[in-house]
Amino acid sequence: MWRILTLVLLVPLILVGIWFKDGYLLGASEDGLIFYNVSSYYHQAQYAWMEYPGLGSPSVALIAGKPTYFFLSFLQGLGIPGFLVQAGVFYFLLISAGIGVYLLVHDLFPKLSKNYVLLSILFYWFNPIALYTILSRSLLNYFFFYSAIPIASYFYIKGLRTRKFSWIFGLNLSLLLYSYIFSYVAFTLLLWFWLLLITVYFVLFYSHKFFALKYFFLSIMLFLICNSWWIFPMIALNISGGAKDSSQSFLQQTNFDTLTAISKSIGNLNGIFKLVNTSFVSPDSLNWAKLYYSPVLSIIQYFFIGAVLFFIIKKRKEAEVLFIGSLFLTVIFLAKGNNSPFGEIYQILFKKIQILQIFRNPFEKFSFLLSLTTSILIGPSIYSLIDKLEDNLRRLSYLLVLVCLCGYLGYPLYSGLALTNTFPPTNDYSIGYKVKVPDYYKELDEWLNSKGDNFRYIGFPLAPEGITYKWEKGYTGLELPVSLFDSRAILLNTTTSFFKQIISQMEMTLLSDKDFSLLANLINAKYYLLRYDIDYKARGMTDPSIIEKSLLEKEKKGEVKKLTTFGKVSIWENLRWEDSQFYPANKFIKVNNFDKDTTFTSIDVLKKEVLIDLDDSSKLGRLVEVKETILPGIIYEKINTTKYILHLKNAGDPFLLVFSELYNDGWKASYKDQELNNHMRVNLYANGWIVDKRGDFDILVEFAPQKWMDIGEKISIVSIFLIIGGLYFVFLKYKREGA
Amino acid sequence: MNYYLLLLGIVFLNIKLKKEGGFYLWIGFYLFLISAVVNIAKSVDLSEVIIRIGFVFLLIGFASAVREYKTDK
């Protein structure tokens, strides 16, 4: 056992040493550069509302990762460089994956020699799914899920087999350690679907139906209690209607088209049986990926699965083989999506149960489970194949399998090729996913933070969601407002509702003769960043020199002023900016269709103008345009991203209070615990309330789901202590029984 | 190819043949091997058809094996 443990600790250390030996961060794709500045992510995940992508949005997806971000930002706060923190995380995830597989195989096949258990562990690390779905995709929550699923499965199965409820404590404590995975709803569903599947097959082969049902029910109950810090605000957001727009954009016919297209593309059984994502290993792939098409290497891939099928057939009278074999075949069936044979079953469920539309890429999601079930079976399969051979031949065969696993399957990992892709600069094998953020971004961020936090700033040229930077090692992936900056940056145009209508007009207006400060003031933008370190040609973005030309012309007109430069980024000030985070409005410009209107580019918030949708004009009631002098003065305190206290002075007639943050039904304004009604969307993206009070008074503006997050956090903390207490009690009981 | 008809065909055939689950599992396995050879020989579409038929046999064979296990138990 010590030999296995040594290898489980050593092999990931070697891999991580190879990947991080040059001292660079690794980053690409949708994750950005989390490890460049983890505290910035912690800041976004602290509350139920975050500043990303610039106008604010609910952070329910991120808050599940709050404990992880807290711990990692604590490590960075101790002075540990980002790349070392990242290396440490990768190391932990690899060894815990290995330990999880070891525990599972050892529990299901206790008589299996450790040499063959090692094959299962190596296969789990080196199989093509781990290569593509985990490493090459470069998504941290994928890596966490890949690492969590063996350990979680072990605790769950152990509890079922021993019929001891105490294993539920271990399961939930382990899930807390990997809570980062729940920042992606699909993994929450996938995990519980998996545990339900285990329960069903367990009942089929081992009976104990009532115990199994109680066990599943209690597991999920404890899970909901322990994770209430992110579950409560998610429910609250959905009840308040704040998730309506994002969920509607998600649940559409396009999901079915996506399912069909993806099933056709990567849901073929040949690819699934070889554990290969055929879109990654295609004629357009990187040269090294095309190795997977070579005949010799195809034989090796088919050999492993052939061995597994052979083992299942030979040992089909054994409960453990039937149990894992059922899971294996079920996962293959699901991974092919709505492809034949019998793909209609998947299709019907997909259409009838809307939440299942999260699984519109079935191979990507179910491949985690395929990788696990195959790995569990590899060790005993190889043993079953070669055990009857005479000694020398058996040793030679074992060695050959080891060479195939480590030499062939493992090659892309320990050579670092797994951390490359087709997009420049990641297609340069010497660079891959290595990133070095220039030092001037730190200085720039510090400078912006020194100016306060009552404004936004816009980065030009504005990126579509993806960006390519021309840094020392380059970077290609999702734009990096959270990684690079602690404050409220608008650097990209995303598909977030209400956001895209405004931001898509930014550059066009800046390059026109129109007064850009009107549009900038609409979103409370005080500074503009002009970035010359972007590969604008690669991304089809505007040439920064064209934007600079426009800024210089506006500087002559007195609209902007160039302040300073940090490296390849210059800062320009909007000279007509005034803090319009909150402002009272008395001039109502009504438009017919908010989403088709473009007159907002000439709204002047400094003149207390506000854009109102015609459908909401009835909410204005007796509100009429009043003289500016009767409008109250507003001083506000920002308690955190979800709470503001407004101090209003000399309010006269009723007015419209504008809050320049992304509109969401979860935002509530109240006066002395009485909620202000007539919450409406104004200025295309912002929040507005009618205020009908006189004199001096305070208004509280808060994001309602935050209350539920606060309650949920308290419940989660108490439950963690109860779990630890419960485990200690079980430990004492075990010790007493042993004695 | 209509896999539902194939499934029904195998089920009805089994009523006559009364074979164990292992019989169908082995057919499925051999079809998997054939599909592998055809795939390596670069006939990808044909290989996919063969492996899908093989998968149907594997599913039927496995379901029978489960039934036999429950009966023996």
Side-chain angles (χ1 to χ4, degrees):
Chain A
M1 191 204 147
W2 289 108
R3 197 167 38 146
I4 289 258
L5 193 61
T6 308
L7 282 164
V8 167
L9 294 173
L10 192 62
V11 171
L13 187 65
I14 294 169
L15 286 175
V16 162
I18 292 168
W19 298 336
F20 291 93
K21 67 181 187 318
D22 296 327
Y24 292 104
L25 288 172
L26 296 177
S29 73
E30 299 100 304
D31 252 8
L33 289 176
I34 295 173
F35 294 94
Y36 171 69
N37 185 5
V38 188
S39 60
S40 187
Y41 283 86
Y42 174 63
H43 173 66
Q44 302 292 326
Q46 254 187 314
Y47 300 101
W49 184 265
M50 60 180 175
E51 285 149 355
Y52 176 84
L55 297 179
S57 59
S59 60
V60 280
L62 271 192
I63 53 181
K66 185 174 171 182
T68 310
Y69 289 132
F70 170 74
F71 177 67
L72 296 179
S73 61
F74 168 74
L75 290 178
Q76 250 185 341
L78 293 175
I80 300 173
F83 82 93
L84 273 182
V85 175
Q86 188 176 22
V89 169
F90 280 26
Y91 180 62
F92 164 74
L93 293 174
L94 282 170
I95 59 170
S96 59
I99 290 170
V101 171
Y102 169 80
L103 290 171
L104 267 173
V105 177
H106 182 64
D107 190 58
L108 289 165
F109 304 102
K111 291 182 186 158
L112 186 68
S113 158
K114 300 289 182 287
N115 290 338
Y116 295 91
V117 179
L118 177 65
L119 295 181
S120 286
I121 298 171
L122 289 171
F123 191 83
Y124 193 63
W125 282 334
F126 297 150
N127 73 75
I129 288 172
L131 162 69
Y132 173 70
T133 308
I134 311 310
L135 280 173
S136 194
R137 277 293 261 125
S138 188
L139 292 171
L140 192 61
N141 53 8
Y142 278 39
F143 206 161
F144 264 82
F145 188 79
Y146 158 85
S147 177
I149 201 76
I151 296 248
S153 304
Y154 168 72
F155 279 120
Y156 192 78
I157 291 173
K158 190 75 178 176
L160 279 175
R161 283 158 64 83
T162 56
R163 280 184 283 150
K164 289 197 169 121
F165 289 108
S166 52
W167 287 95
I168 296 175
F169 293 139
L171 168 69
N172 279 285
L173 205 59
S174 71
L175 289 177
L176 277 169
L177 199 63
Y178 297 98
S179 63
Y180 190 80
I181 65 177
F182 305 119
S183 59
Y184 187 29
V185 172
F187 286 148
T188 310
L189 290 176
L190 187 61
L191 171 75
W192 286 101
F193 167 75
W194 173 240
L195 296 182
L196 178 64
L197 205 60
I198 287 174
T199 311
V200 166
Y201 286 130
F202 180 84
V203 167
L204 191 61
F205 299 113
Y206 298 99
S207 298
H208 310 302
K209 182 166 51 177
F210 293 115
F211 170 81
L213 284 173
K214 274 189 290 189
Y215 187 81
F216 180 77
F217 178 74
L218 282 171
S219 298
I220 208 166
M221 282 295 116
L222 191 59
F223 171 80
L224 292 173
I225 294 167
C226 291
N227 290 273
S228 43
W229 91 84
W230 59 268
I231 291 176
F232 279 18
M234 188 172 69
I235 294 172
L237 191 69
N238 276 282
I239 291 172
S240 71
K244 183 176 55 183
D245 296 294
S246 54
S247 62
Q248 276 176 353
S249 70
F250 167 74
L251 300 169
Q252 287 171 14
Q253 167 64 26
T254 47
N255 285 336
F256 178 71
D257 297 335
T258 304
L259 168 70
T260 305
I262 288 178
S263 297
K264 276 193 170 44
S265 154
I266 59 176
N268 291 320
L269 282 174
N270 264 310
I272 293 171
F273 270 105
K274 289 196 289 185
L275 273 67
V276 166
N277 183 323
T278 48
S279 69
F280 175 70
V281 187
S282 70
D284 303 327
S285 302
L286 294 166
N287 284 331
W288 67 264
K290 293 175 192 170
L291 284 175
Y292 286 91
Y293 278 129
S294 77
V296 169
L297 302 182
S298 288
I299 290 169
I300 293 171
Q301 285 165 251
Y302 276 119
F303 163 74
F304 282 116
I305 300 306
V308 165
L309 288 174
F310 185 81
F311 174 69
I312 290 172
I313 297 170
K314 287 289 277 185
K315 301 286 183 182
R316 64 187 181 277
K317 305 281 185 202
E318 294 177 22
E320 285 75 19
V321 177
L322 282 175
F323 174 57
I324 294 293
S326 304
L327 292 168
F328 172 70
L329 288 175
T330 305
V331 167
I332 288 178
F333 183 86
L334 294 169
K336 66 175 178 56
N338 63 355
N339 253 359
S340 299
F342 317 129
E344 291 78 10
I345 299 171
Y346 193 101
Q347 197 163 292
I348 290 167
L349 292 170
F350 187 87
K351 282 183 168 176
K352 291 271 183 235
I353 308 170
Q354 279 196 316
I355 195 69
L356 292 184
Q357 293 185 15
I358 272 176
F359 298 110
R360 58 187 185 270
N361 188 340
F363 181 85
E364 190 182 67
K365 303 299 182 297
F366 294 109
S367 63
F368 290 93
L369 309 179
L370 178 61
S371 166
L372 179 63
T373 49
T374 313
S375 302
I376 292 169
L377 289 166
I378 284 287
S381 302
I382 303 296
Y383 174 80
S384 157
L385 261 185
I386 70 177
D387 180 55
K388 297 281 186 293
L389 299 173
E390 62 101 3
D391 282 354
N392 286 335
L393 195 56
R394 189 178 68 245
R395 283 195 202 103
L396 184 65
S397 304
Y398 180 85
L399 198 64
L400 205 60
V401 168
L402 211 57
V403 166
C404 287
L405 264 179
C406 300
Y408 156 55
L409 287 182
Y411 174 69
L413 278 84
Y414 59 77
S415 65
L417 289 172
L419 299 167
T420 60
N421 213 310
T422 50
F423 306 108
T426 63
N427 58 354
D428 180 340
Y429 292 171
S430 66
I431 296 176
Y433 291 167
K434 291 178 196 155
V435 179
K436 184 173 183 341
V437 180
D439 292 337
Y440 54 79
Y441 272 96
K442 194 159 179 285
E443 295 160 21
L444 170 58
D445 189 38
E446 282 168 3
W447 185 92
L448 286 164
N449 285 335
S450 71
K451 300 297 175 191
D453 69 348
N454 62 338
F455 57 86
R456 295 187 174 96
Y457 46 95
I458 311 168
F460 291 106
L462 273 165
E465 293 195 2
I467 192 82
T468 303
Y469 279 98
K470 295 187 291 187
W471 296 335
E472 180 186 321
K473 294 282 180 189
Y475 165 80
T476 190
L478 189 67
E479 178 56 286
L480 304 166
V482 179
S483 303
L484 297 177
F485 302 106
D486 277 337
S487 42
R488 299 198 290 176
I490 296 173
L491 301 185
L492 73 164
N493 188 5
T494 81
T495 53
T496 307
S497 294
F498 319 140
F499 182 93
K500 56 181 184 257
Q501 289 97 318
I502 288 250
I503 303 305
S504 59
Q505 301 292 323
M506 285 282 155
E507 245 171 48
M508 203 183 330
T509 310
L510 179 69
L511 296 173
S512 71
D513 290 331
K514 289 183 185 173
D515 184 355
F516 182 71
S517 64
L518 295 178
L519 186 53
N521 288 343
L522 191 71
I523 59 167
N524 199 26
K526 187 176 179 184
Y527 300 110
Y528 317 134
L529 310 184
L530 182 59
R531 309 173 294 166
Y532 270 97
D533 55 356
I534 288 174
D535 189 346
Y536 65 92
K537 283 183 190 168
R539 291 290 179 169
M541 294 161 71
T542 309
D543 183 349
S545 60
I546 295 174
I547 296 175
E548 185 167 17
K549 200 173 154 200
S550 184
L551 284 169
L552 286 167
E553 280 164 17
K554 290 186 189 311
E555 192 174 32
K556 285 179 195 158
K557 292 182 195 169
E559 288 173 29
V560 299
K561 183 183 168 190
K562 186 173 179 181
L563 291 181
T564 184
T565 302
F566 292 96
K568 295 193 177 166
V569 182
S570 56
I571 303 180
W572 303 68
E573 186 177 1
N574 170 11
L575 293 176
R576 294 181 187 169
W577 176 83
E578 278 178 30
D579 186 356
S580 56
Q581 181 69 5
F582 289 95
Y583 74 92
N586 64 346
K587 295 183 184 65
F588 311 110
I589 292 134
K590 296 172 193 173
V591 295
N592 206 7
N593 186 328
F594 242 2
D595 294 318
K596 289 189 181 158
D597 181 74
T598 54
T599 59
F600 60 84
T601 55
S602 56
I603 289 280
D604 193 342
V605 303
L606 300 186
K607 290 182 182 165
K608 311 304 178 195
E609 290 176 0
V610 64
L611 205 61
I612 305 278
D613 192 301
L614 210 56
D615 288 341
D616 286 329
S617 57
S618 59
K619 291 181 183 176
L620 294 176
R622 66 183 186 91
L623 201 65
V624 292
E625 292 188 13
V626 296
K627 287 183 192 165
E628 198 162 329
T629 48
I630 303 175
L631 285 173
I634 300 179
I635 296 171
Y636 67 91
E637 291 171 59
K638 181 180 175 182
I639 310 299
N640 55 53
T641 53
T642 66
K643 195 171 180 177
Y644 297 81
I645 299 175
L646 278 60
H647 307 292
L648 287 91
K649 286 201 174 323
N650 302 320
D653 291 313
F655 63 93
L656 184 72
L657 174 67
V658 178
F659 173 36
S660 300
E661 195 80 1
L662 199 75
Y663 178 81
N664 191 288
D665 286 336
W667 281 107
K668 310 283 179 207
S670 59
Y671 164 73
K672 285 188 177 173
D673 293 333
Q674 251 195 320
E675 198 178 310
L676 298 181
N677 293 322
N678 296 317
H679 180 204
M680 62 185 94
R681 189 174 135 209
V682 301
N683 289 347
L684 231 80
Y685 78 96
N687 299 271
W689 291 274
I690 309 287
V691 180
D692 190 359
K693 306 268 178 272
R694 280 157 187 76
D696 301 349
F697 54 91
D698 289 352
I699 287 178
L700 175 68
V701 174
E702 55 184 354
F703 188 58
Q706 178 60 36
K707 224 172 15 209
W708 291 101
M709 185 174 168
D710 294 336
I711 296 169
E713 275 183 344
K714 293 183 175 76
I715 293 172
S716 294
I717 290 169
V718 167
S719 66
I720 290 165
F721 279 113
L722 285 174
I723 285 178
I724 293 171
L727 280 170
Y728 181 66
F729 172 75
V730 167
F731 168 72
L732 285 178
K733 192 177 164 201
Y734 174 75
K735 214 170 153 189
R736 227 174 311 144
E737 281 170 8
Chain B
M1 170 151 205
N2 195 322
Y3 295 96
Y4 294 100
L5 279 177
L6 174 66
L7 177 70
L8 279 170
I10 297 168
V11 169
F12 281 125
L13 195 65
N14 191 51
I15 293 169
K16 240 194 144 99
L17 294 176
K18 289 188 180 25
K19 291 288 183 185
E20 272 196 341
F23 174 75
Y24 299 103
L25 282 170
W26 282 116
I27 294 177
F29 179 70
Y30 291 131
L31 284 171
F32 164 81
L33 290 180
I34 294 168
S35 156
V37 169
V38 171
N39 187 268
I40 290 165
K42 305 289 183 204
S43 247
V44 175
D45 293 338
L46 178 61
S47 161
E48 184 64 21
V49 171
I50 296 171
I51 202 168
R52 285 180 186 184
I53 297 169
F55 190 60
V56 174
F57 277 95
L58 283 174
L59 290 177
I60 292 167
F62 199 82
S64 297
V66 169
R67 190 169 45 90
E68 286 151 25
Y69 172 81
K70 298 287 284 179
T71 312
D72 292 345
K73 225 175 91 176

